Amino acid sequence: MGITKTQHFTEEQNELAVLAKALGHPARIAIIEHLIKVDSCICGDLVNELPLAQPTVSQHLKELKNAGLIKGNFEGASICYCLNEEGFEKIKSFFTLINTYLENRKDQCC
Amino acid sequence: MGITKTQHFTEEQNELAVLAKALGHPARIAIIEHLIKVDSCICGDLVNELPLAQPTVSQHLKELKNAGLIKGNFEGASICYCLNEEGFEKIKSFFTLINTYLENRKDQCC
DNA sequence: ACTATTAATCGTAATATTGCAATATAAATA
DNA sequence: TATTTATATTGCAATATTACGATTAATAGT
């Protein structure tokens, strides 16, 4: 069916899934990494950085923006993107939970 | 085309994307959370926990296993699953990078 | 051996994602 | 205002994902 049974899960679970899903494509990982590398917010030269056509990059940016992982600002004719702290905060607490668990885990059955 | 241009990205980017993608579904988030909660490794009563049919749960478990986020062990007739530390280690370093960047970021343009 | 029990696999329908050419929009500049 | 530049949107083809019924495989207990 290709359709996720969203209603049956908690809001937190759905939120986390949306965030993770947004990071679930190498192009979007590359975008995040590039935004970190150039530090100052960078606009459409991502198209030059990535091995993808402009509409495709635009679409990936949209997904990252929708998920709350990046923000975009108009800067003259172009648009300037940068990381959105909020989105990453939400992921952070999930991984903190996991790391704490893994560090304290004693008996590994598997 | 629905097909990702994997060859054009680095191995690290593809690896991260695979891990993130595996977490990009609320059922799989729920599975991870449940495995943490019950600590001792739990097998097919995940089917009871989740609002999904047994084959669907089995499929989600397979994806988590393929991504390297969980491990499975035979335990009599049933199978015992638990978190695979390795997979989470890889994600961890990525988020450490991001967090370090976000904490030191001075000028937020967006 | 027979029968539950547990979990994986197969087949398939419904839907989502990926990618791009073509086109549209919007601001900057001549 | 016409043109260039920068980005978004549309439409569509190829492929992937999600979900589950039916079936299979494998072990446990009788």
Side-chain angles (χ1 to χ4, degrees), chain B residues 3 7 9 14 22 29 31 38 42 45-46 57-58 76-77 79 90 95 107:
Chain B
I3 189 164
Q7 337 88 39
F9 298 97
N14 283 312
I29 295 283
I31 289 172
V38 297
I42 280 297
D45 51 14
L46 279 164
V57 173
S58 192
I79 290 192
K90 285 179 191 162
F95 282 105
D107 46 338

Side-chain angles (χ1 to χ4, degrees), chain A residues 19 32 64 67-71 82-93, chain B residues 95 98-108 110:
Chain A
L19 289 163
I32 298 291
L64 285 169
L69 290 169
I70 65 173
K71 286 191 277 189
C82 67
L83 295 203
N84 183 353
E85 199 152 359
E86 265 182 78
F88 287 101
E89 277 305 320
K90 284 180 190 164
I91 302 183
K92 194 177 172 180
S93 56
Chain B
F95 282 105
I98 292 177
N99 287 329
T100 307
Y101 166 72
L102 285 175
E103 277 162 21
N104 298 333
R105 182 166 66 166
K106 292 277 159 46
D107 46 338
Q108 246 212 110
C110 306

